[in-house]
DNA sequence: GGTCCGTTTTGCGCTATCGCAAATTGCCGG
DNA sequence: CCGGCAATTTGCGATAGCGCAAAACGGACC
């Protein structure tokens, strides 16, 4: 089997403090897999057979209600882990993970986790930090949904996406994977119609440049100002 | 110093799999402290000097925006940990913790965490499970806020509170600590006015019995039905 | 027993946002 | 080069829930 290049992953927070040979031992337990654009890595409710580290591409994690509505839990960028169901005591995935671009992952069988953690306790503490950070972020999201209007929430969402997965261009920052208005709606707790209206407005003002599943922030700073603003837009 | 009775805490998830003498060693590092009703255990932004285990009482964790709005992150019941800032890599508390009833906690100085975790790796994995569960719950909250109307969210919130901290009465279940309409509003992302209207309505129907900072669920099952229902109330 | 303060209730107009419907656009496959 | 489909835009009511204001209420403390 082809060995995974340790240099690609050595600096990830997950592996902070590991020696090369330890890293190697951990990586040996994983197999790598490729998921073409729009294919499912795993589905909500499915048995949690593996946990993952994204190497290339982008993955959307989404949670669906019994009645079929869904929200985007997060977008996974290269270097991030996902599908950690078992580490947090679940036997089934609580969300669906879909590759939004051709993606490559490392996958560890669920069964390896207890053994790895026992041998490398730092794995647990590193994962704890990661999960803790996500918890904070999710609390922030709740706070935003409770206190801000849709326009500001969308602004924040775009800024976060740009920060996490933005590609610098001469004329702005492009979000580096296909993302629809519907996706943004599901990230911010609104409808695709409202998102479309807002983005159209911003495009008029030259703040962004839109396309089919494409968004370029032309004026990140102005969007930032929008995001912080409370309701009133100011004097006419 | 008075020793903490290990039997009180031995069965908590945090200490799952520990031997009595190990437990003892961990507990020896903690001091216990009492917080009278409405006093702050710690404040958002304050340096994270300790982490806590609630022994008696109830604590509200709330997060405040720069502009002063706040949400209730959660209510802590006896046996639960809180203020785990350092375990997840923060140096300051991300929320304010307030005793809503006279409360007693165990407090470990932040500095003891790395040592304890090193000596007892199970602490890290247990904490990982706890934090992971909270992450799931918070995602569920986001899902609800995105897809349900206020009435259903309030119903869910009450049911959860009843489950976590409900006291069984002949005529229903009482939420076992003082909680205002404002608090419920901050849990569900709405205003105290709307909560008040909803609860008044339910009281008319005999589903609940309200009082000053007091709520008794008289018909938990009917409230459950309400919580699951989508918009339309049905034929007149 | 009286007073004061925090909580709760309720009325009423307002509006941000939804929901539906229809038109438009841009991309992909053949 | 030509459909055909998915994504996007846009118009137009409908309305859930907000925000303000004021009144009613209930305790706690003196």
């Amino acid at each position: 089997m082809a060995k995974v290049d340790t240099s690609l992953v050595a600096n990830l927070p997950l592996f902070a403090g590991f020696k090369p040979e330890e890293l190697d031992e951990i990586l040996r337990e994983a197999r790598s897999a490729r998921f073409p654009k729009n294919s499912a890595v795993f589905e909500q409710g499915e048995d949690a057979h593996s946990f993952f580290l994204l190497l290339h591409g982008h993955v959307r994690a989404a949670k669906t209600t019994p009645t079929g509505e869904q929200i985007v839990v997060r977008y996974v960028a290269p270097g991030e882990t996902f599908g950690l169901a078992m580490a947090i005591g679940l036997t089934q995935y609580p969300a669906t993970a879909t590759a939004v671009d051709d993606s490559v992952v490392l996958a560890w069988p669920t069964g390896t986790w207890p053994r790895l953690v026992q041998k490398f306790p730092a794995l647990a503490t590193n994962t704890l930090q990661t999960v803790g950070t996500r918890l904070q972020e999710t609390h922030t999201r709740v706070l935003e949904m409770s206190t801000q209007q849709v326009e500001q929430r969308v602004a924040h969402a775009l800024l976060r996406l740009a920060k996490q997965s933005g590609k610098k261009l001469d004329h702005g920052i492009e979000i580096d994977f296909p993302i629809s208005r519907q996706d943004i709606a599901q990230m911010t707790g609104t409808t695709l119609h409202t998102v479309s209206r807002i983005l159209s407005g911003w495009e008029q003002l030259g703040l962004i440049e839109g396309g089919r599943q494409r968004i370029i922030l032309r004026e990140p700073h102005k969007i930032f100002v929008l995001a912080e603003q409370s309701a009133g837009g100011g004097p006419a």
Side-chain angles (χ1 to χ4, degrees), chain A residues 11-25:
Chain A
N11 298 318
L12 301 180
L14 176 64
F15 297 125
F18 280 92
K19 299 196 190 85
E21 60 269 26
E22 294 175 330
L23 195 49
D24 223 57
E25 181 176 344

Side-chain angles (χ1 to χ4, degrees), chain A residues 101-114:
Chain A
D101 248 351
D102 289 353
S103 298
V104 178
V105 304
L106 284 182
W108 284 263
T110 291
T112 60
W113 175 255

Side-chain angles (χ1 to χ4, degrees), chain A residues 159 171-173 202 205-209 216-226:
Chain A
L159 290 172
H171 43 295
I173 304 176
W202 288 352
L205 298 175
L207 301 184
I208 67 166
E209 189 182 325
I216 297 171
L217 311 192
R218 285 196 162 291
E219 305 270 9
H221 178 65
K222 289 189 182 170
I223 294 175
F224 180 80
V225 172
L226 263 181

